[in-house]
Coordinates of all heavy atoms in Angstrom, one line a residue:
C1945 N 66.3 192.0 63.4 CA 65.3 191.6 64.4 C 64.4 192.8 64.7 O 65.0 193.9 65.0 CB 66.0 191.1 65.6 SG 64.9 190.7 67.0
D1946 N 63.1 192.6 64.7 CA 62.1 193.6 65.1 C 61.7 193.1 66.5 O 61.0 192.1 66.6 CB 61.0 193.6 64.1 CG 59.9 194.6 64.6 OD1 60.0 195.1 65.7 OD2 58.9 194.8 63.8
V1947 N 62.1 193.8 67.5 CA 61.9 193.3 68.9 C 60.5 193.4 69.3 O 60.0 192.8 70.3 CB 62.8 194.1 69.9 CG1 64.2 193.7 69.8 CG2 62.6 195.6 69.8
T1948 N 59.6 194.2 68.5 CA 58.2 194.2 68.8 C 57.5 193.0 68.3 O 56.3 192.8 68.6 CB 57.5 195.5 68.3 OG1 57.6 195.4 66.8 CG2 58.3 196.7 68.8
D1949 N 58.2 192.1 67.5 CA 57.6 190.9 66.9 C 58.2 189.7 67.7 O 59.4 189.4 67.5 CB 57.9 190.9 65.4 CG 57.3 189.7 64.8 OD1 56.9 188.7 65.4 OD2 57.2 189.8 63.5
E1950 N 57.4 189.0 68.4 CA 57.9 187.9 69.2 C 58.6 186.8 68.3 O 59.6 186.2 68.7 CB 56.8 187.3 70.1 CG 57.4 186.2 71.0 CD 56.3 185.7 72.0 OE1 55.1 186.0 71.8 OE2 56.7 184.9 72.9
A1951 N 58.0 186.6 67.2 CA 58.5 185.5 66.3 C 59.9 186.0 65.7 O 60.8 185.2 65.6 CB 57.5 185.3 65.1
S1952 N 60.0 187.3 65.5 CA 61.3 187.8 65.0 C 62.3 187.7 66.1 O 63.5 187.3 65.8 CB 61.1 189.3 64.6 OG 62.4 189.8 64.1
V1953 N 62.0 187.9 67.3 CA 62.9 187.8 68.4 C 63.3 186.3 68.6 O 64.5 186.0 68.7 CB 62.3 188.3 69.7 CG1 63.2 187.9 70.9 CG2 62.1 189.8 69.6
N1954 N 62.4 185.4 68.5 CA 62.7 184.0 68.6 C 63.6 183.5 67.5 O 64.5 182.8 67.7 CB 61.4 183.1 68.6 CG 60.6 183.4 69.9 OD1 61.1 183.8 70.9 ND2 59.3 183.1 69.8
D1955 N 63.3 184.0 66.3 CA 64.2 183.7 65.1 C 65.6 184.2 65.4 O 66.6 183.5 65.0 CB 63.6 184.2 63.9 CG 62.4 183.5 63.4 OD1 62.1 182.4 63.9 OD2 61.7 184.1 62.5
A1956 N 65.7 185.4 65.9 CA 67.0 186.0 66.1 C 67.8 185.2 67.2 O 69.0 184.9 66.9 CB 66.9 187.4 66.6
F1957 N 67.2 184.8 68.2 CA 67.9 184.0 69.2 C 68.2 182.6 68.7 O 69.3 182.0 69.1 CB 67.1 184.0 70.5 CG 67.4 185.1 71.4 CD1 66.7 186.3 71.2 CD2 68.3 185.1 72.4 CE1 66.9 187.5 71.9 CE2 68.5 186.2 73.2 CZ 67.8 187.4 72.9
E1958 N 67.4 182.0 67.8 CA 67.8 180.8 67.2 C 69.1 181.0 66.3 O 70.0 180.2 66.3 CB 66.7 180.2 66.3 CG 65.6 179.5 67.1 CD 64.8 178.6 66.2 OE1 65.1 178.5 65.0 OE2 63.8 178.0 66.7
A1959 N 69.1 182.1 65.6 CA 70.3 182.4 64.8 C 71.6 182.5 65.6 O 72.6 182.1 65.2 CB 70.0 183.7 64.0
I1960 N 71.4 183.2 66.8 CA 72.6 183.3 67.7 C 73.0 182.0 68.2 O 74.2 181.7 68.2 CB 72.2 184.2 68.8 CG1 71.8 185.6 68.3 CG2 73.4 184.3 69.8 CD1 71.2 186.5 69.4
A1961 N 72.1 181.1 68.5 CA 72.4 179.8 69.0 C 73.1 178.9 67.9 O 74.0 178.2 68.2 CB 71.2 179.0 69.5
R1962 N 72.6 179.1 66.7 CA 73.3 178.4 65.6 C 74.7 178.9 65.4 O 75.6 178.1 65.0 CB 72.5 178.5 64.3 CG 71.2 177.7 64.3 CD 70.6 177.6 62.9 NE 70.3 178.8 62.3 CZ 69.2 179.5 62.4 NH1 68.2 179.0 63.2 NH2 69.0 180.7 61.8
Q1963 N 74.9 180.2 65.6 CA 76.2 180.8 65.3 C 77.2 180.5 66.4 O 78.4 180.2 66.1 CB 76.0 182.3 65.1 CG 77.4 183.1 64.9 CD 77.9 182.9 63.4 OE1 77.2 182.3 62.6 NE2 79.0 183.6 63.1
F1964 N 76.8 180.7 67.7 CA 77.7 180.6 68.8 C 77.4 179.4 69.8 O 78.3 179.1 70.6 CB 77.7 181.9 69.6 CG 78.1 183.1 68.8 CD1 77.2 184.2 68.6 CD2 79.4 183.2 68.3 CE1 77.6 185.3 67.9 CE2 79.8 184.3 67.6 CZ 78.9 185.4 67.4
G1965 N 76.2 178.9 69.7 CA 75.9 177.8 70.6 C 74.8 178.1 71.6 O 74.3 177.2 72.3
G1966 N 74.6 179.4 71.9 CA 73.6 179.8 72.8 C 73.7 181.3 73.2 O 74.2 182.0 72.4
V1967 N 73.3 181.6 74.4 CA 73.4 183.0 74.8 C 73.6 183.0 76.4 O 73.0 182.2 77.1 CB 72.1 183.8 74.6 CG1 72.1 185.2 75.2 CG2 71.8 184.0 73.1
D1968 N 74.5 183.9 76.8 CA 74.8 184.0 78.2 C 74.3 185.4 78.8 O 74.0 185.4 80.0 CB 76.3 183.9 78.5 CG 76.8 182.5 78.0 OD1 76.3 181.5 78.5 OD2 77.7 182.5 77.2
I1969 N 74.3 186.4 78.0 CA 73.9 187.7 78.5 C 73.0 188.4 77.4 O 73.4 188.4 76.2 CB 75.2 188.6 78.7 CG1 76.1 188.0 79.7 CG2 74.8 190.0 79.1 CD1 77.5 188.5 79.7
A1970 N 71.9 188.9 77.8 CA 71.0 189.6 76.9 C 70.8 191.0 77.4 O 70.4 191.2 78.5 CB 69.7 188.9 76.8
V1971 N 71.3 192.0 76.5 CA 71.1 193.4 76.8 C 69.9 193.9 76.1 O 70.0 194.1 74.8 CB 72.4 194.2 76.5 CG1 72.2 195.7 76.9 CG2 73.6 193.6 77.1
S1972 N 68.8 194.1 76.7 CA 67.6 194.5 76.1 C 67.6 196.1 76.1 O 67.2 196.7 77.1 CB 66.3 194.0 76.8 OG 65.2 194.2 76.1
N1973 N 68.0 196.6 75.0 CA 68.3 198.1 75.0 C 67.4 198.9 74.0 O 67.2 200.0 74.2 CB 69.8 198.2 74.5 CG 70.1 199.6 74.0 OD1 70.2 200.5 74.9 ND2 70.3 199.8 72.7
A1974 N 66.9 198.2 73.0 CA 66.1 199.0 72.0 C 65.0 199.8 72.6 O 64.3 199.3 73.5 CB 65.6 198.0 70.9
G1975 N 64.8 201.0 72.1 CA 63.7 201.8 72.6 C 63.5 203.1 71.8 O 64.4 203.4 71.0
A1976 N 62.4 203.8 72.0 CA 62.2 205.0 71.3 C 61.2 205.8 72.1 O 60.5 205.3 72.9 CB 61.7 204.8 69.9
A1977 N 61.2 207.1 71.9 CA 60.4 208.0 72.7 C 59.2 208.6 71.9 O 59.3 209.0 70.8 CB 61.2 209.2 73.2
W1978 N 58.0 208.6 72.6 CA 56.9 209.3 72.1 C 56.6 210.4 73.1 O 56.7 210.3 74.3 CB 55.6 208.4 72.1 CG 55.5 207.5 70.9 CD1 54.7 207.6 69.9 CD2 56.3 206.2 70.7 NE1 54.9 206.6 69.0 CE2 55.8 205.7 69.5 CE3 57.2 205.5 71.4 CZ2 56.3 204.5 68.9 CZ3 57.7 204.3 70.9 CH2 57.3 203.9 69.6
K1979 N 56.4 211.6 72.6 CA 56.2 212.8 73.4 C 54.8 213.3 73.4 O 54.1 213.1 72.4 CB 57.2 213.9 73.0 CG 58.6 213.5 73.0 CD 59.6 214.7 72.7 CE 59.4 215.2 71.3 NZ 59.8 214.3 70.3
G1980 N 54.5 214.1 74.4 CA 53.2 214.8 74.5 C 52.5 214.7 75.8 O 52.8 213.7 76.6
P1981 N 51.6 215.6 76.2 CA 50.9 215.5 77.5 C 50.1 214.2 77.6 O 49.4 213.8 76.6 CB 50.0 216.7 77.5 CG 50.6 217.7 76.5 CD 51.2 216.8 75.5
I1982 N 50.2 213.5 78.7 CA 49.6 212.2 78.8 C 48.1 212.2 78.5 O 47.5 211.3 78.0 CB 49.9 211.5 80.1 CG1 49.6 210.0 80.1 CG2 49.3 212.2 81.3 CD1 50.4 209.2 79.1
G1983 N 47.4 213.3 79.0 CA 46.0 213.4 78.8 C 45.5 213.7 77.4 O 44.4 213.6 77.1
E1984 N 46.5 214.0 76.5 CA 46.2 214.3 75.1 C 46.8 213.4 74.1 O 46.6 213.5 72.9 CB 46.7 215.8 74.8 CG 46.2 216.8 75.7 CD 46.8 218.2 75.6 OE1 47.5 218.4 74.5 OE2 46.8 219.0 76.5
L1985 N 47.5 212.4 74.7 CA 48.2 211.4 73.8 C 47.2 210.4 73.2 O 46.3 210.0 73.9 CB 49.2 210.6 74.6 CG 50.3 209.9 73.9 CD1 51.3 210.8 73.2 CD2 51.0 208.9 74.9
S1986 N 47.4 210.1 72.0 CA 46.5 209.1 71.3 C 46.8 207.7 71.9 O 47.9 207.4 72.3 CB 46.7 209.1 69.8 OG 47.9 208.5 69.5
M1987 N 45.8 206.9 72.0 CA 45.9 205.5 72.5 C 46.9 204.7 71.5 O 47.6 203.9 72.0 CB 44.6 204.8 72.6 CG 43.8 205.4 73.8 SD 44.7 205.3 75.4 CE 44.9 203.6 75.6
A1988 N 46.8 205.1 70.2 CA 47.7 204.4 69.3 C 49.1 204.6 69.6 O 50.0 203.7 69.6 CB 47.3 204.9 67.9
D1989 N 49.5 205.9 70.0 CA 50.8 206.2 70.3 C 51.2 205.6 71.6 O 52.4 205.0 71.8 CB 51.1 207.7 70.4 CG 51.1 208.4 69.1 OD1 51.2 207.7 68.0 OD2 51.1 209.6 69.0
L1990 N 50.3 205.6 72.6 CA 50.7 205.0 73.9 C 50.9 203.5 73.7 O 51.8 202.9 74.3 CB 49.6 205.2 74.9 CG 49.8 204.7 76.3 CD1 51.1 205.3 76.9 CD2 48.6 205.1 77.2
R1991 N 50.0 202.8 72.9 CA 50.2 201.4 72.7 C 51.4 201.1 71.9 O 52.2 200.1 72.2 CB 49.0 200.8 71.9 CG 47.7 200.8 72.8 CD 46.5 200.2 72.0 NE 45.2 200.4 72.7 CZ 44.8 199.5 73.7 NH1 45.6 198.5 74.0 NH2 43.7 199.7 74.3
A1992 N 51.8 201.9 71.0 CA 53.0 201.7 70.2 C 54.2 201.8 71.1 O 55.2 201.1 71.0 CB 53.1 202.7 69.1
S1993 N 54.2 202.8 72.1 CA 55.3 203.0 73.0 C 55.4 201.7 73.9 O 56.5 201.3 74.2 CB 55.1 204.2 73.8 OG 56.2 204.4 74.7
F1994 N 54.3 201.2 74.4 CA 54.4 200.0 75.2 C 54.9 198.8 74.4 O 55.6 198.0 74.9 CB 53.0 199.7 75.8 CG 52.8 200.3 77.2 CD1 52.3 201.6 77.4 CD2 53.1 199.5 78.3 CE1 52.2 202.1 78.7 CE2 53.0 200.0 79.6 CZ 52.5 201.3 79.8
E1995 N 54.5 198.7 73.1 CA 55.0 197.6 72.3 C 56.5 197.6 72.3 O 57.2 196.5 72.4 CB 54.5 197.7 70.9 CG 53.0 197.3 70.8 CD 52.7 195.8 71.1 OE1 53.7 195.0 71.0 OE2 51.6 195.5 71.4
L1996 N 57.2 198.8 72.1 CA 58.6 198.8 72.0 C 59.3 198.9 73.3 O 60.3 198.3 73.6 CB 59.0 200.0 71.1 CG 60.5 200.2 70.9 CD1 61.2 199.0 70.4 CD2 60.8 201.4 70.0
N1997 N 58.7 199.7 74.2 CA 59.4 200.0 75.5 C 59.1 199.1 76.6 O 59.6 199.3 77.7 CB 59.2 201.5 75.8 CG 59.8 202.5 74.8 OD1 61.0 202.3 74.5 ND2 59.0 203.4 74.3
F1998 N 58.1 198.2 76.5 CA 57.8 197.2 77.5 C 57.7 195.8 76.9 O 58.5 194.9 77.2 CB 56.5 197.5 78.2 CG 56.2 196.4 79.2 CD1 56.9 196.1 80.3 CD2 55.0 195.6 78.8 CE1 56.6 195.1 81.1 CE2 54.7 194.6 79.7 CZ 55.4 194.3 80.8
F1999 N 56.8 195.6 76.0 CA 56.5 194.3 75.5 C 57.8 193.6 74.8 O 58.1 192.5 74.9 CB 55.3 194.2 74.6 CG 54.0 194.3 75.4 CD1 53.2 195.4 75.3 CD2 53.6 193.2 76.2 CE1 52.0 195.5 76.0 CE2 52.4 193.3 77.0 CZ 51.7 194.4 76.9
A2000 N 58.5 194.5 74.1 CA 59.7 194.1 73.4 C 60.7 193.5 74.4 O 61.4 192.5 74.1 CB 60.3 195.2 72.5
H2001 N 60.8 194.2 75.5 CA 61.8 193.7 76.6 C 61.3 192.3 77.1 O 62.2 191.5 77.4 CB 61.8 194.7 77.7 CG 62.4 196.0 77.4 ND1 63.8 196.2 77.2 CD2 61.9 197.2 77.1 CE1 64.1 197.4 76.9 NE2 62.9 198.1 76.9
Q2002 N 60.0 192.1 77.2 CA 59.5 190.8 77.6 C 59.9 189.7 76.5 O 60.3 188.6 76.8 CB 58.0 190.9 77.8 CG 57.3 189.5 77.8 CD 57.7 188.6 79.0 OE1 58.6 188.9 79.8 NE2 57.0 187.5 79.2
H2003 N 59.7 190.1 75.2 CA 60.0 189.1 74.2 C 61.5 188.7 74.3 O 61.8 187.5 74.2 CB 59.8 189.8 72.8 CG 58.4 190.1 72.5 ND1 57.3 189.5 73.0 CD2 57.9 191.1 71.7 CE1 56.2 190.1 72.5 NE2 56.6 191.1 71.7
V2004 N 62.4 189.7 74.5 CA 63.8 189.4 74.6 C 64.2 188.6 75.8 O 64.9 187.6 75.7 CB 64.6 190.7 74.5 CG1 66.1 190.5 74.8 CG2 64.5 191.4 73.2
A2005 N 63.6 189.0 76.9 CA 63.9 188.3 78.2 C 63.4 186.9 78.1 O 64.1 185.9 78.6 CB 63.3 189.1 79.4
K2006 N 62.2 186.6 77.6 CA 61.6 185.3 77.5 C 62.5 184.4 76.7 O 62.8 183.3 77.0 CB 60.2 185.5 77.0 CG 59.5 184.2 76.9 CD 58.0 184.4 76.3 CE 57.3 183.1 76.2 NZ 55.9 183.3 75.6
A2007 N 62.9 184.9 75.5 CA 63.7 184.1 74.6 C 65.1 183.8 75.2 O 65.5 182.6 75.1 CB 63.9 184.8 73.3
A2008 N 65.7 184.8 75.8 CA 67.0 184.5 76.4 C 66.9 183.6 77.6 O 67.7 182.7 77.7 CB 67.6 185.9 76.9
T2009 N 65.9 183.7 78.4 CA 65.8 182.9 79.6 C 65.6 181.4 79.2 O 66.1 180.5 79.9 CB 64.6 183.4 80.5 OG1 64.9 184.7 80.9 CG2 64.5 182.5 81.7
A2010 N 64.8 181.2 78.2 CA 64.6 179.8 77.7 C 66.0 179.2 77.4 O 66.2 178.0 77.7 CB 63.7 179.8 76.5
I2011 N 66.9 179.9 76.7 CA 68.2 179.4 76.4 C 69.0 179.3 77.6 O 69.7 178.3 77.8 CB 68.9 180.3 75.4 CG1 68.1 180.2 74.0 CG2 70.4 179.8 75.1 CD1 68.7 181.1 72.9
F2012 N 69.0 180.2 78.6 CA 69.7 180.1 79.8 C 69.3 178.8 80.5 O 70.2 178.1 81.0 CB 69.4 181.3 80.8 CG 69.8 182.7 80.3 CD1 69.2 183.8 80.9 CD2 70.7 182.9 79.3 CE1 69.5 185.0 80.5 CE2 71.0 184.2 78.9 CZ 70.4 185.2 79.5
R2013 N 68.1 178.5 80.6 CA 67.7 177.4 81.4 C 68.1 176.1 80.6 O 68.4 175.1 81.2 CB 66.1 177.4 81.6 CG 65.7 178.6 82.4 CD 64.2 178.6 82.6 NE 63.8 177.7 83.6 CZ 62.5 177.3 83.8 NH1 61.6 177.8 83.0 NH2 62.2 176.4 84.7
A2014 N 68.0 176.1 79.3 CA 68.5 174.9 78.5 C 70.0 174.7 78.8 O 70.4 173.5 78.9 CB 68.2 175.1 77.1
Q2015 N 70.8 175.7 78.8 CA 72.2 175.6 79.1 C 72.5 175.1 80.5 O 73.5 174.4 80.7 CB 72.9 176.9 78.8 CG 72.9 177.3 77.3 CD 73.4 178.7 77.0 OE1 73.7 179.1 75.9 NE2 73.5 179.6 78.0
G2016 N 71.7 175.6 81.4 CA 71.8 175.0 82.8 C 72.9 175.7 83.6 O 73.2 175.1 84.7
F2017 N 73.5 176.7 83.2 CA 74.5 177.4 84.1 C 74.2 178.9 84.2 O 75.1 179.7 84.4 CB 75.9 177.1 83.6 CG 76.1 177.3 82.1 CD1 76.5 178.6 81.6 CD2 76.2 176.3 81.3 CE1 76.7 178.8 80.3 CE2 76.4 176.4 79.9 CZ 76.7 177.7 79.4
G2018 N 72.9 179.2 84.3 CA 72.6 180.6 84.5 C 72.6 181.5 83.4 O 72.8 181.1 82.2
G2019 N 72.5 182.8 83.6 CA 72.5 183.8 82.6 C 72.3 185.2 83.2 O 72.1 185.3 84.3
C2020 N 72.4 186.2 82.3 CA 72.3 187.5 82.8 C 71.4 188.4 81.9 O 71.6 188.5 80.7 CB 73.7 188.2 82.9 SG 73.7 189.9 83.4
L2021 N 70.3 188.9 82.5 CA 69.4 189.8 81.7 C 69.7 191.2 82.1 O 69.9 191.6 83.3 CB 68.0 189.5 82.1 CG 67.4 188.2 81.6 CD1 66.0 188.0 82.2 CD2 67.4 188.1 80.1
L2022 N 69.9 192.1 81.2 CA 70.2 193.5 81.4 C 69.3 194.4 80.6 O 69.1 194.2 79.4 CB 71.7 193.9 81.0 CG 72.7 193.1 81.8 CD1 74.1 193.3 81.1 CD2 72.8 193.5 83.2
F2023 N 68.6 195.3 81.3 CA 67.5 196.1 80.7 C 67.9 197.6 80.7 O 68.4 198.1 81.7 CB 66.2 196.0 81.5 CG 65.6 194.6 81.5 CD1 66.0 193.6 82.4 CD2 64.6 194.2 80.5 CE1 65.5 192.4 82.4 CE2 64.1 193.0 80.5 CZ 64.5 192.0 81.5
N2024 N 67.7 198.3 79.7 CA 67.8 199.7 79.6 C 66.5 200.3 80.1 O 65.5 200.4 79.3 CB 68.2 200.2 78.2 CG 68.6 201.7 78.2 OD1 68.2 202.4 79.1 ND2 69.3 202.1 77.1
A2025 N 66.5 200.7 81.4 CA 65.2 201.1 82.0 C 64.9 202.6 81.8 O 63.8 203.1 81.7 CB 65.1 200.7 83.4
S2026 N 66.0 203.5 82.0 CA 65.9 204.9 81.8 C 65.5 205.6 83.2 O 64.7 205.1 84.0 CB 64.9 205.3 80.8 OG 64.6 206.7 80.8
K2027 N 66.0 206.8 83.3 CA 65.6 207.6 84.5 C 64.1 207.9 84.6 O 63.5 208.1 85.6 CB 66.4 208.9 84.4 CG 66.3 209.8 85.6 CD 65.2 210.8 85.5 CE 65.2 211.7 84.3 NZ 64.1 212.7 84.2
Q2028 N 63.5 207.9 83.4 CA 62.1 208.2 83.4 C 61.2 207.2 84.1 O 60.1 207.4 84.5 CB 61.6 208.2 81.9 CG 62.1 209.4 81.1 CD 61.5 210.7 81.6 OE1 60.4 210.8 82.0 NE2 62.3 211.8 81.6
A2029 N 61.8 206.0 84.4 CA 61.1 204.9 85.1 C 60.8 205.3 86.6 O 59.9 204.9 87.2 CB 61.8 203.6 85.1
V2030 N 61.7 206.3 87.1 CA 61.5 206.6 88.5 C 61.3 208.2 88.7 O 61.0 208.6 89.8 CB 62.7 206.2 89.4 CG1 62.8 204.6 89.4 CG2 64.0 206.7 88.8
N2031 N 61.6 208.9 87.7 CA 61.5 210.4 87.8 C 60.8 210.9 86.5 O 61.5 211.4 85.6 CB 62.9 211.0 88.0 CG 62.8 212.5 88.1 OD1 63.7 213.2 87.5 ND2 61.9 213.1 88.8

Side-chain angles (χ1 to χ4, degrees):
C1945 177
D1946 178 355
V1947 291
T1948 66
D1949 181 343
E1950 185 173 12
S1952 179
V1953 171
N1954 291 338
D1955 288 345
F1957 276 83
E1958 278 199 8
I1960 299 167
R1962 288 195 301 273
Q1963 179 79 0
F1964 299 119
V1967 175
D1968 299 302
I1969 301 163
V1971 184
S1972 192
N1973 163 71
W1978 278 258
K1979 302 187 296 292
I1982 191 65
E1984 301 170 23
L1985 194 71
S1986 74
M1987 289 305 295
D1989 282 349
L1990 185 59
R1991 290 181 188 279
S1993 183
F1994 264 89
E1995 285 294 338
L1996 179 56
N1997 295 309
F1998 172 69
F1999 287 110
H2001 291 287
Q2002 164 65 354
H2003 297 332
V2004 171
K2006 183 178 178 182
T2009 299
I2011 294 178
F2012 296 162
R2013 298 181 77 195
Q2015 291 171 166
F2017 46 85
C2020 179
L2021 296 173
L2022 297 170
F2023 298 85
N2024 188 340
S2026 171
K2027 185 270 306 183
Q2028 291 293 325
V2030 293
N2031 177 220

